[in-house]
Amino acid sequence: MLEGVKVVEYATYMAAPGAGLILSDWGAEVIKIEPPGGDPIRQFFDTIGTDLKDNPVFDFDNRGKKSVVVDTTKPEGVEIVRKLASEADVFLTNVRPGGLERSGLDFPSLAKLNPSLVYCTLTGYGLEGPDKDRPGFDIASFWSRAGLARLFPPKDVDPMLLRTAFGDHVTSIAASSAINAALVQKFRTGKGQLIEASLLRAALFSIGSDFAIQLFFDRVASTKPRAEPTVPIMNYFKSSDDDWICIVARQGNVDWPKICRAAGLEDMAKDERLKSGKGRRAHAAEIVERLDKAFGQYTKAELAERLDAEQIAWAPVQTLAQVAEDPQVIAAGGIVETPSISGGTFRAPASPVRFPGADDGPKGPAPKLGQHTRELLSRMGVSPSDIDDFYNNGVVQ
C-alpha cells in the first residue's frame, strides 16, 4: 500500500521505530538514521551475555529498514539528515523538541526545505507545556503519568511495572495512523503536516472510557479484587485442570441465566436477590464463591463446550508460550516469518492489522549497523571521495 513512500526515521528505542516498522511492513522505504554506536536497543541483550546475532527486540521494530549512521553533533552530519528529509515524504523522530530546534531539524526548518513533508514527532509529553523537553519512556509517560499504574491494580495494591514497550507500541499504532492520514492530505493537496504524537496522549485515549467517566463525574471506580467485582459474572474462573478462563457478560441481564446454566446452577438464576445487576453487585462475593466451586468441577475443555452452548463470550487466559502456538493466532496472521541477518527466518509478531491479498509483511531483516550508509550517500549524489572523507572524519559510520 505504501510502495514509493520514503520515510526518514531519526529515532531510537521503541515507540517511533515501532511506527516505522508498521510503515515498512506496508511497503514504505524506511531509512533509519542512527547515532555512532547505533540505536541503544541493539544492545538489548548484551547485559545478559548473549552472543546471538539476531536480536528479536531490535529486529521486531526495525525489520526491513535501511541503516545510516550519522553523527549529528557535526554540522556535516546535520546537513546529511536535512538532505535526506528534503527528498522524503515522511520525517519521523523521537528527539526532544529543544534538540531538534538547536540542530535545525525541527518542523519549521525542514518544512522550508520540503513544504509537502509529513513530519511526525513522537515524544513523552507533546510539543507544548512545561514538560515538553522532559525525557519520555512508556513506564513513566504512558503508564504512570497518565494514571494507568494507579488504576490497574486493586485499591491498596502497590503499582506494578509495565511489560517491555507495551505503551511504546500502543503509541506506535497511533503515530502510524496519523502519518497515513497526513499522507492522504499530502497526496491530495501537496500540503505537508506536523504530527504531534505522544506517549501521554496515546495513554489517555487507551484508557478513554474510564477517563471519560472521571472527567464527567469527577470520580472513577477502583479496580476490584476478583472476589469483589462490580459485575461478578464478568470475571476469571479456574477449571478443574488448573486453567483460567475469562468470561465476559453483556450489558443488562441477558447472560445471567445462561452463565448459571453453564455452571450447572439453574437455581441461582431463579434467586430473586440476584436477578438485577444491583442485586448481583450487592452479593458479588457469594456469586463468585458459588461460580468458583461450580466451574471448578469441569475441565477447561468441558467449560468451553458448556459456555459455547450458551453463546457466552469467553477466552482462555493464556501464557505467551500458549499464545505462540494458538491456532487462532496463526490463522489471524498474528505471527510472521521474519528474515534473519543470519539467513533463514524466525517467527516474530505481525504488524497490527492485515490487508488480505496485499504484501503486508516483513520486507527484509533488520539492518546491520550502518549497512546502507554508503549506498544512500551515493544516491544523494555525494562523490566517492567525499563519502570517504565523511568516514575518515567520523561524520558517518
Side-chain angles (χ1 to χ4, degrees):
M1 286 71 62
L2 297 180
E3 185 176 350
V5 172
K6 180 188 285 188
V7 179
V8 173
E9 179 190 296
Y10 182 46
T12 55
Y13 290 95
M14 277 107 153
L21 147 75
I22 295 170
L23 302 176
S24 174
D25 271 10
W26 296 348
E29 179 187 27
V30 180
I31 300 168
K32 182 180 181 68
I33 300 173
E34 300 188 64
D39 186 327
I41 302 303
R42 286 186 180 273
Q43 284 75 52
F44 188 88
F45 289 102
D46 284 0
T47 54
I48 58 174
T50 179
D51 58 358
L52 289 172
K53 290 184 179 179
D54 293 301
N55 174 343
V57 174
F58 178 83
D59 294 354
F60 167 55
D61 281 324
N62 294 285
R63 64 193 182 210
K65 300 178 184 178
K66 295 180 177 178
S67 171
V68 178
V69 177
V70 179
D71 186 350
T72 53
T73 67
K74 301 179 186 294
E76 301 93 334
V78 171
E79 285 307 309
I80 290 172
V81 177
R82 285 170 59 84
K83 174 64 173 174
L84 285 168
S86 72
E87 300 172 349
D89 297 298
V90 178
F91 187 81
L92 170 63
T93 184
N94 67 347
V95 177
R96 282 177 273 168
L100 293 167
E101 291 170 7
R102 289 189 295 273
S103 61
L105 296 173
D106 56 323
F107 175 67
S109 298
L110 294 187
K112 290 178 181 178
L113 296 174
N114 184 353
S116 66
L117 183 66
V118 172
Y119 185 111
C120 180
T121 174
L122 198 161
T123 62
Y125 302 104
L127 297 179
E128 299 180 13
D131 293 331
K132 67 177 184 178
D133 276 312
R134 186 180 292 275
F137 287 90
D138 69 343
I139 193 169
S141 312
F142 181 99
W143 187 243
S144 301
R145 187 68 177 269
L148 281 68
R150 291 288 295 273
L151 188 65
F152 272 68
K155 189 176 180 180
D156 299 326
V157 173
D158 291 344
M160 56 185 173
L161 295 174
L162 182 64
R163 298 300 303 191
T164 305
F166 176 84
D168 286 327
H169 289 128
V170 172
T171 310
S172 299
I173 297 170
S176 63
S177 173
I179 288 168
N180 280 292
L183 283 172
V184 171
Q185 174 180 259
K186 167 189 168 68
F187 294 135
R188 189 178 69 241
T189 69
K191 179 183 176 183
Q193 180 66 52
L194 174 63
I195 298 168
E196 179 184 343
S198 68
L199 294 164
L200 178 63
R201 185 153 170 169
L204 296 176
F205 184 82
S206 72
I207 201 67
S209 297
D210 277 310
F211 195 32
I213 293 169
Q214 175 67 51
L215 292 171
F216 191 87
F217 294 106
D218 197 27
R219 64 182 183 275
V220 67
S222 62
T223 301
K224 306 296 184 185
R226 194 186 70 84
E228 304 171 12
T230 303
V231 182
I233 53 175
M234 188 177 295
N235 212 328
Y236 298 97
F237 300 97
K238 187 183 284 190
S239 66
S240 63
D241 46 356
D242 287 329
D243 274 312
W244 286 94
I245 64 167
C246 169
I247 292 179
V248 182
R250 289 170 287 180
Q251 300 297 313
N253 299 309
V254 63
D255 283 337
W256 169 241
K258 295 182 176 186
I259 290 172
C260 290
R261 284 196 298 270
L265 295 173
E266 289 85 347
D267 62 315
M268 190 165 69
K270 300 173 184 177
D271 190 328
E272 292 295 331
R273 300 174 304 146
L274 310 178
K275 286 189 173 181
S276 70
K278 184 177 180 180
R280 291 192 291 274
R281 180 177 180 180
H283 298 89
E286 175 190 339
I287 292 171
V288 173
E289 182 179 3
R290 293 183 68 180
L291 288 174
D292 275 346
K293 184 176 180 180
F295 284 136
Q297 299 176 68
Y298 301 105
T299 65
K300 183 175 78 170
E302 290 170 337
L303 286 177
E305 186 175 348
R306 296 179 72 90
L307 292 166
D308 285 344
E310 297 291 344
Q311 298 186 321
I312 298 298
W314 72 278
V317 181
Q318 301 195 125
T319 66
L320 284 185
Q322 292 171 316
V323 172
E325 305 303 327
D326 187 331
Q328 185 57 47
V329 171
I330 307 303
I335 298 171
V336 290
E337 291 293 331
T338 300
S340 166
I341 60 171
S342 306
T345 64
F346 59 90
R347 299 203 307 164
S351 53
V353 300
R354 173 187 273 179
F355 297 87
D359 178 7
D360 59 2
K363 299 301 182 288
K368 296 177 182 178
L369 182 61
Q371 179 179 344
H372 303 92
T373 302
R374 186 174 291 274
E375 170 196 333
L376 286 163
L377 288 174
S378 296
R379 275 173 44 182
M380 291 166 56
V382 182
S383 69
S385 61
D386 285 343
I387 293 175
D388 289 338
D389 286 342
F390 282 150
Y391 274 100
N392 293 333
N393 295 326
V395 175
V396 300
Q397 180 179 323

